[in-house]
Amino acid sequence: MVDTDIKKGKKKGEKIHLGDWPAVKRTIDDQVIEALKRAGYDVDYLMVDIRSGLGILAVVIACVAQFWQGKNKNAPEVLVPCVAAYMVLSGLMWLMQFVLYKDIIAHTKSLPGNPGVELKSKMKRYGDRYTLQARMKCDSVVGVRESSSTEYIGRFFNVDAEVQVESISALVNDVLHQLDVPSESSNGNSKKDT
């Protein structure tokens, strides 16, 4: 039997197991990125592309080391440089993912009159709060503006564990609006904790 919501052309809400903490955070992060796109921002995937390129290069090097057909199957003149290069590329990918871009879920492209925004998210393991932080580099006078908002994750799901896109969009719009409004502090920080 076909669901009546699907017949009407509506996409049914995505269901999620609320006990699966990584899936909950990943689902909210994905919806935050979609809300950012709906708000008119163009997401920049350059860092993701660089990490993917490094990963592909590491796999190619590993394949060369594995399938090299030389005089000696364990040719150290090929195996040692390939293993070293693989380790260096893997280390660079690790450094990018877990040190440089630890909690960053999205970058937006800078446009004339609209500086780029960097979104970070935090959620403690088995926690019930989701924090979204936004950072915008402005002109040299203002410097960097930051804003954040923390919400109870129950607000983002209904009783059937379906994602509430409107609630996530409201959170994103609230954080982005805080970036537009200068705060009372001198460095442009504004925080909201609900």
Side-chain angles (χ1 to χ4, degrees):
M1 182 173 210
V2 178
D3 190 351
T4 56
D5 287 340
I6 294 173
K7 277 196 250 179
K8 294 177 186 175
K10 295 180 182 175
K11 185 179 177 186
K12 197 168 179 178
E14 180 182 348
K15 285 190 177 186
I16 187 166
H17 184 272
L18 296 177
D20 185 3
W21 173 83
V24 169
K25 185 176 184 312
R26 186 173 46 250
T27 300
I28 296 172
D29 287 348
D30 290 345
Q31 290 300 321
V32 164
I33 293 169
E34 291 301 317
L36 187 66
K37 290 178 185 176
R38 284 191 299 274
Y41 288 86
D42 192 15
V43 178
D44 186 7
Y45 292 105
L46 178 64
M47 286 300 136
V48 174
D49 293 342
I50 289 173
R51 285 194 309 251
S52 298
L54 289 174
I56 290 169
L57 186 59
V59 168
V60 167
I61 289 171
C63 288
V64 167
Q66 177 69 30
F67 300 114
W68 182 260
Q69 296 293 326
K71 295 176 190 174
N72 184 0
K73 280 205 168 205
N74 297 327
E77 64 272 1
V78 174
L79 191 59
V80 171
C82 286
V83 169
Y86 182 83
M87 290 174 61
V88 167
L89 290 174
S90 296
L92 282 173
M93 288 186 299
W94 179 86
L95 182 70
M96 288 177 74
Q97 181 66 35
F98 296 107
V99 177
L100 299 177
Y101 302 103
K102 185 177 180 182
D103 296 324
I104 296 174
I105 59 173
H107 288 279
T108 64
K109 294 181 180 178
S110 296
L111 301 173
N114 186 12
V117 176
E118 176 183 282
L119 289 180
K120 292 183 177 183
S121 69
K122 292 184 181 180
M123 187 172 139
K124 291 183 180 178
R125 184 174 210 140
Y126 307 116
D128 63 349
R129 302 272 177 192
Y130 180 86
T131 301
L132 182 64
Q133 299 171 325
R135 186 171 186 256
M136 177 189 296
K137 286 187 179 180
C138 300
D139 58 13
S140 60
V141 176
V142 177
V144 175
R145 286 192 181 158
E146 295 181 350
S147 67
S148 70
S149 184
T150 301
E151 295 287 343
Y152 173 64
I153 62 168
R155 181 174 176 227
F156 302 136
F157 301 95
N158 65 14
V159 292
D160 295 326
E162 293 177 344
V163 177
Q164 297 297 302
V165 177
E166 298 83 18
S167 298
I168 296 173
S169 293
L171 173 69
V172 171
N173 290 334
D174 180 43
V175 170
L176 293 175
H177 178 70
Q178 288 177 31
L179 287 176
D180 293 337
V181 178
S183 68
E184 297 172 7
S185 64
S186 60
N187 63 356
N189 289 339
S190 60
K191 299 200 181 247
K192 177 185 175 189
D193 206 11
T194 53

